[in-house]
Amino acid sequence: MRLPRAIGGLLAVLLGAGCTAVQPEPRQQPQQEAQQEARHSADGCKGAKLESGRHTMRFGGLERVYLLRVPKGRGPHPVLLDLHGLGSTAARQAAYSRLPEVGAARGYIVATPQAAEGRLGWTLPHTYGPDDTAFLAALLDHLEGGLCADRGREFAAGMSYGAGMAAALVCGLAGRLAGVAPVAGINIVEPCKEAKPTVIVAFHGDADRIVPYRGGHPFRDASGRLRGLADMIVLPPVARVVDGWATVLGCTKSRNISLSSDVRRSSWRNCAPGAALTLYTIRGGGHTWPGPIAVSSLGATTRDLDATRVILDAFDAAPPR
């Protein structure tokens, strides 16, 4: 996964600023680590062993934390990873996205993992630090072994830097995910040419001052050392990145529809079988998750669109792997 203008290395500096608890480690193949460390049973449907709540699992020499919400019913259930943003936490992400609550009510197993201790966010594929791609692969294996999971219907959604990680997993997990939903961060990573057909539904405010919709330097209102680092990073425009995904997924021209005075939906046609691409642009929207929860410090939040429900609708309709 190619990162815009060496953003990977610079973000590694941002992530590591003031954090010495975790040292960079050599990279390993996700499937190798998943097999070595997940140690899951062959079929979780033979007897679920995991319950809703806070869990830990040992991976890559680190104790990793994730929050789990288990739906009712026998399954098999689709699985959804809910990825937090830079400097946030699993608990905040679970509350803000509402995916554990709403997703479980729809029959989804929802896991909200926490970045490694001492880190502000995720290590993107092919960048230096704890191998979060392998960790998330192992977490999926772990959930498959401990719950009645539908292995053909696994998804990831994320906010901000978690959105970038979700998009990066399209190729980082070698086509394992049937769909991803980046909220306020699809332009953190560039599309990858080797992507398998995937459902992508993205959301971005055109007044976002942290991950700018039109590209350029992130953290527009930062000062001090963060301002200096942010000035070394140039993000591409959201439109260019989404057009790149359209090319990779074999989609043709987009159709734009105004759903309200605040929301424009762009959907691409004739994508490869198993692929779909949709972008919701929020006019005047900030660095926020569209829906009922407003965070004034991050800018305006539209109430005309509930991203949580739109994401689950898109994943419900995604063809299984």
Side-chain angles (χ1 to χ4, degrees):
M1 181 70 66
R2 186 167 62 87
L3 304 181
R5 298 286 189 88
I7 187 175
L10 290 170
L11 283 174
V13 175
L14 283 170
L15 291 173
C19 301
T20 57
V22 178
Q23 297 299 319
E25 57 185 88
R27 300 201 54 84
Q28 294 178 285
Q29 293 299 318
Q31 293 304 318
Q32 291 176 349
E33 286 213 346
Q35 291 169 3
Q36 292 169 2
E37 299 197 42
R39 295 190 177 91
H40 63 282
S41 66
D43 189 355
C45 292
K46 293 179 180 177
K49 297 174 284 296
L50 296 172
E51 298 179 350
S52 296
R54 182 182 185 275
H55 296 262
T56 61
M57 61 179 286
R58 191 78 181 167
F59 185 83
L62 302 172
E63 196 78 14
R64 302 301 299 261
V65 174
Y66 69 95
L67 306 180
L68 181 64
R69 189 68 176 265
V70 179
K72 296 179 180 178
R74 297 179 61 184
H77 301 285
V79 181
L80 173 56
L81 301 178
D82 186 16
L83 306 176
H84 68 76
L86 191 69
S88 188
T89 65
R92 290 175 186 168
Q93 176 64 15
Y96 189 35
S97 74
R98 298 163 30 252
L99 283 170
E101 174 189 358
V102 182
R106 289 223 200 167
Y108 284 75
I109 297 166
V110 184
T112 310
Q114 178 70 45
E117 184 178 356
R119 303 280 293 190
L120 297 178
W122 308 101
T123 303
L124 295 172
H126 311 303
T127 60
Y128 207 50
D131 193 341
D132 285 327
T133 303
F135 161 60
L136 294 172
L139 177 56
L140 288 172
D141 287 343
H142 178 66
L143 297 174
E144 289 175 1
L147 292 167
C148 191
D150 185 343
R151 300 182 183 191
R153 300 183 62 219
E154 296 182 334
F155 306 91
M159 171 67 192
S160 188
Y161 202 66
M165 186 65 180
L169 291 176
V170 170
C171 287
L173 292 181
R176 179 171 184 170
L177 299 180
V180 298
V183 180
I186 193 171
N187 58 331
I188 289 175
V189 298
E190 298 270 16
C192 51
K193 293 181 180 179
E194 67 273 25
K196 294 184 179 180
T198 306
V199 171
I200 300 177
V201 54
F203 307 79
H204 213 113
D206 66 9
D208 190 326
R209 298 188 62 78
I210 295 177
V211 180
Y213 184 86
R214 295 172 183 82
H217 303 302
F219 301 104
R220 292 284 174 85
D221 300 320
S223 59
R225 186 185 178 201
L226 179 57
R227 175 74 273 138
L229 290 170
D231 285 344
M232 299 173 69
I233 298 170
V234 180
L235 295 170
V238 167
R240 196 191 90 191
V241 171
V242 176
D243 282 342
W245 279 113
T247 299
V248 168
L249 298 176
C251 308
T252 59
K253 237 166 131 176
S254 65
R255 182 186 180 195
N256 300 318
I257 299 176
S258 290
L259 301 181
S260 73
S261 60
D262 290 346
V263 180
R264 183 179 74 247
R265 183 181 68 201
S266 302
S267 53
W268 278 256
R269 295 173 290 176
N270 301 326
C271 301
L277 180 63
T278 307
L279 169 66
Y280 291 87
T281 297
I282 315 304
R283 297 183 181 94
H287 192 65
T288 56
W289 186 287
I293 300 177
V295 182
S296 59
S297 61
L298 297 177
T301 302
T302 183
R303 303 288 177 89
D304 291 347
L305 182 73
D306 187 338
T308 301
R309 299 189 185 281
V310 171
I311 288 168
L312 293 171
D313 287 345
F315 291 170
D316 283 348
R321 280 289 186 240

